[in-house]
Amino acid sequence: MSAAAQVKPGAAGTVAALARTAETDVPLRLRPGVGHVPIRGGIRFQHWDTTFRIQGHPALHALFTGLLPQLQAGVTAQALQAALPAGAWPAARLLLNELRARDLLLPVEEEPNAEELGSHAGILTFLASLSDRPSAAFRAVRAARVTLRGPAALTAAVAAHLRDLAFADVQVETGADEGQSIVTLSLSADSGAPTLLAALGAEQGIIAPLHTPAEVLAGRLTLSGTPAEPLKQLLAGLLALEAFRQVAELKSGVSAERGLVVDAATLHSAPVPAFLQPDTLEGWWTLARAELPLAGPDDLHALLTGPFALTTAPSAAGEQLPLFTYGAADGPAQAGWGSDGEEALHRAQERRLLALLPAAPEGLAGAEVALPVLGYSETDLLGRGVAAVLSADLARQPERFTAQPLPPAEVPLAHLWLLKTLGMVYGVAAEVVRLGHPALRGLHGAAVYDPARGLLAAAFAPDPDGAVGGALLDAVAALQLGLPVPGTPAPPAGEVRPVPSDQPEQATWAALTDLGRAPRLHPYLGLPGTVQRGVLLGWVVARG
C-alpha cells in the first residue's frame, strides 16, 4: 500500500470531469468499499490497494462520518453546503475535492431494479468499485449478445462463466471437430470489441485476437491430449472475463496487440505479444515458460467458480477500516482477506488452490492428521507447514503451549486498528497473547481470544510483530466472513521466549521431530509440473 495519492489507470478523464463539478449541481456518491479510520488531525482512507490521508483538523473524521449517509445515497455539493454551518463548509469542500481527485466519487445513476439485477448484485458492486459508470456498464453486459463456437466441453465451460458474470444472451455453436481445443468468442457488432480466440493444450492455453495465425498456435502449443480440469476452467474463466471487461469498458488484458498465455503448471496467466510480427515468437515462448509468481486478479477470477465481488463489509460502527474480503458464489470457504486489495486477492487465490486438494493423502495412519499447505519455495513451505501443525495443536491441545498476555498499549501500532475493530465493530473484548512452545526456534507465536468464544485465530512468524498482526488479521476475517473459529481456551500462563535460530522454519521442524511429532510433507502431483515450477501444494502430516 502507498500513502501517496494514486489514481487508477484510465480514470484521468473522469477525474477531470468531476473536478469541474466542484461547485455545480451534479449529485455524487461515494464508491463502495472505501474504508476510513480516524488518525491524529484527520482521516486515513483506503480503497482497493491504495491508502491516503487527509489531515488538517481533529474534527475532520467526525465531519466525514456526519456526511457519510448523504455521500452514500448521492448528494450535490450545493445541498451539502446548504446543510452545513458556514464555518464547516471549507473543510467539507476539502474532503469532496480530495475524494474526487482520487476517483472515489461517482455521478449518481439510476440503478438496476430488482428484476434487472436478478442474482447479480455482486457484479454491480464489483463494477461500482472500478467502473466510471457502473449501472450503465452492468446494463451493457446484460444487453450484450455473445456467440461461442468450439468443442462442446470447452464452450459449455465458457458459457457457464459468462452467465455467472451477468451475460444474459449467450449462444453456443458446437464445432464439428471435437478434437480441436479451440473456441472463438464474438460479441454483438455494436460493441466494437474484437472477436477473441482461445486455444487449449495439455500444458498451455492462450487467449488472443482472432487474427492470430493458426500456424503460430500449432507450432507453439501442444493441442493434443486432454487438459486438466483446472486449466480448462482457468482458460474458460479468463475468456469470459475478457468479454466482460470489454463490454463494461474496463481495462482489458487482450487487445489487438496483446494476448494472454496460461500455464498448466502454475495456473498463472501472463500478457504476451499478439504475434503480429514473426520476431515476437521467441520472446513469447521465453515469457510463456518463465517461472512467474502465482498472483493476480485475472487468475482469481477464473479459478473461482462463481461471480467475484467484494463481500459485504460491517457497517455497525463505521469507525474502523474493514478488511478487504473477496468471495464467490460458493461462500466464505472460498473467500480471501487482507488489509489491502492485493493481499485479499492473493489469499483468495491460495484458498481456492488449496480447495483443489483431496481430503488427505493415501496411506495416512490412524493417529495422524493431514493439513493442506501451499508455498513458493521449500523454506516457505516448511514455514507454513510448521505454522499449520502448531496452529492445529493450539486448537486441539492448548496445554502444550504457554501464554503471556499482550497489553493493548503494546500491540504494534500498524496492527492496532485491527484490535480496535474487534471491539468497535464486533463488540469483542479481545485478548492478544504471545505463545510459547518447546519446539519454537526463532519463530514467534501469537493468538487472539474472545472471553466468550475462546480462540479466534493464531499465527506464527519469524518476527513477533508479524505474528501478532497475522493473528489479528485472521481473527477479524473470521468474524467479518462468519467463518468457524476453534473456540478452545487459552493456554496456561508461562514464560514465552523462543530459542534463537537463524533458520526458524528448519530448526522448529527439527525440534518438533525431537519431541516425537515428526512432521513430514506430502506433495500433491495432481497439477502437472507444480513442484518443478515453484508452486508447492500438498499436505503436512503429523501425529494428532
Side-chain angles (χ1 to χ4, degrees):
M1 294 187 298
S2 170
Q6 294 186 14
V7 179
K8 71 180 179 63
T14 302
V15 172
L18 289 178
R20 292 192 294 270
T21 70
E23 307 297 337
T24 63
D25 198 29
V26 177
L28 301 174
R29 66 182 181 90
L30 191 69
R31 285 190 187 273
V34 177
H36 55 94
V37 63
I39 58 174
R40 187 182 300 275
I43 315 167
R44 176 187 173 205
F45 285 100
Q46 183 177 43
H47 180 254
W48 206 247
D49 58 352
T50 299
T51 63
F52 62 93
R53 298 180 179 191
I54 302 177
Q55 291 178 277
H57 195 280
L60 270 180
H61 188 262
L63 174 62
F64 175 75
T65 54
L67 300 177
L68 192 56
Q70 297 173 80
L71 289 175
Q72 290 173 330
V75 66
T76 65
Q78 285 86 344
L80 283 180
Q81 184 175 6
L84 288 171
W89 173 239
R93 182 169 55 191
L94 168 68
L95 287 171
L96 292 178
N97 287 338
E98 291 291 333
L99 292 171
R100 282 193 196 93
R102 290 165 175 85
D103 196 30
L104 297 183
L105 292 179
L106 295 174
V108 172
E109 298 177 284
E110 182 184 351
E111 294 202 349
N113 58 38
E115 185 177 353
E116 287 180 283
L117 200 58
S119 60
H120 300 292
I123 297 296
L124 183 60
T125 302
F126 173 67
L127 286 170
S129 294
L130 294 178
S131 173
D132 296 334
R133 299 296 299 272
S135 295
F138 180 82
R139 290 190 172 100
V141 171
R142 296 296 284 163
R145 184 175 66 257
V146 187
T147 303
L148 298 173
R149 296 180 180 87
L154 190 52
T155 53
V158 178
H161 282 285
L162 286 166
R163 294 182 179 110
D164 281 341
L165 288 169
F167 285 94
D169 188 353
V170 181
Q171 305 296 322
V172 177
E173 299 176 6
T174 302
D177 188 355
E178 287 293 318
Q180 289 290 319
S181 295
I182 296 177
V183 61
T184 62
L185 185 153
S186 303
L187 294 164
S188 47
D190 57 355
S191 70
T195 298
L196 299 173
L197 175 146
L200 182 62
E203 296 183 1
Q204 273 107 19
I206 189 166
I207 301 172
L210 187 58
H211 63 70
T212 304
E215 60 270 18
V216 170
L217 297 176
R220 293 295 177 174
L221 293 171
T222 304
L223 298 180
S224 60
T226 303
E229 187 65 20
L231 179 62
K232 185 181 81 173
Q233 289 297 331
L234 175 58
L235 191 84
L238 282 173
L239 185 57
L241 179 61
E242 283 307 312
F244 177 82
R245 282 172 159 171
Q246 292 187 16
V247 174
E249 297 185 355
L250 299 177
K251 185 179 179 181
S252 294
V254 174
S255 66
E257 295 77 32
R258 186 172 69 169
L260 288 173
V261 68
V262 187
D263 184 82
T266 62
L267 293 182
H268 178 84
S269 62
V272 294
F275 320 113
L276 296 176
Q277 302 295 330
D279 61 2
T280 65
L281 298 181
E282 191 58 36
W284 167 74
W285 186 241
T286 301
L287 180 58
R289 300 302 297 179
E291 295 188 6
L292 298 169
L294 182 68
D298 292 347
D299 301 338
L300 175 67
H301 272 281
L303 284 169
L304 293 175
T305 57
F308 162 78
L310 285 161
T311 60
T312 302
S315 57
E319 289 285 335
Q320 296 297 306
L321 293 172
L323 294 183
F324 279 81
T325 56
Y326 298 95
D330 39 5
Q334 299 297 324
W337 56 87
S339 56
D340 62 54
E342 290 301 318
E343 183 182 13
L345 288 168
H346 191 75
R347 180 77 71 99
Q349 186 179 34
E350 288 188 339
R351 284 166 63 83
R352 175 59 180 141
L353 285 173
L354 288 172
L356 297 175
L357 284 171
E362 295 181 1
L364 199 65
E368 293 179 322
V369 293
L371 307 163
V373 290
L374 177 150
Y376 304 100
S377 67
E378 183 179 358
T379 298
D380 184 34
L381 191 67
L382 285 177
R384 296 191 189 207
V386 164
V389 171
L390 292 171
S391 296
D393 278 2
L394 182 65
R396 286 194 301 266
Q397 295 179 294
E399 65 275 7
R400 290 179 173 175
F401 292 78
T402 55
Q404 202 172 76
L406 184 68
E410 296 181 19
V411 172
L413 187 62
H415 309 310
L416 189 59
W417 68 274
L418 289 165
L419 180 62
K420 289 182 177 180
T421 295
L422 287 170
M424 297 178 72
V425 177
Y426 297 102
V428 174
E431 181 182 38
V432 181
V433 301
R434 296 197 186 276
L435 297 170
H437 188 278
L440 286 177
R441 301 290 188 273
L443 282 182
H444 297 261
V448 180
Y449 289 88
D450 176 353
R453 280 175 282 190
L455 177 62
L456 296 179
F460 297 86
D463 66 286
D465 288 359
V468 171
L472 282 167
L473 190 78
D474 289 354
V476 174
L479 298 181
Q480 187 166 322
L481 290 165
L483 300 175
V485 297
T488 47
E495 187 178 38
V496 174
R497 188 174 297 174
V499 177
S501 172
D502 58 356
Q503 293 183 312
E505 299 87 0
Q506 292 91 331
T508 300
W509 190 278
L512 283 169
T513 301
D514 292 342
L515 291 171
R517 305 301 314 286
R520 62 185 189 277
L521 290 172
H522 280 258
Y524 174 58
L525 303 178
L527 301 176
T530 300
V531 175
Q532 291 77 22
R533 296 298 300 278
V535 180
L536 306 173
L537 188 65
W539 303 266
V540 59
V541 176
R543 288 178 54 192

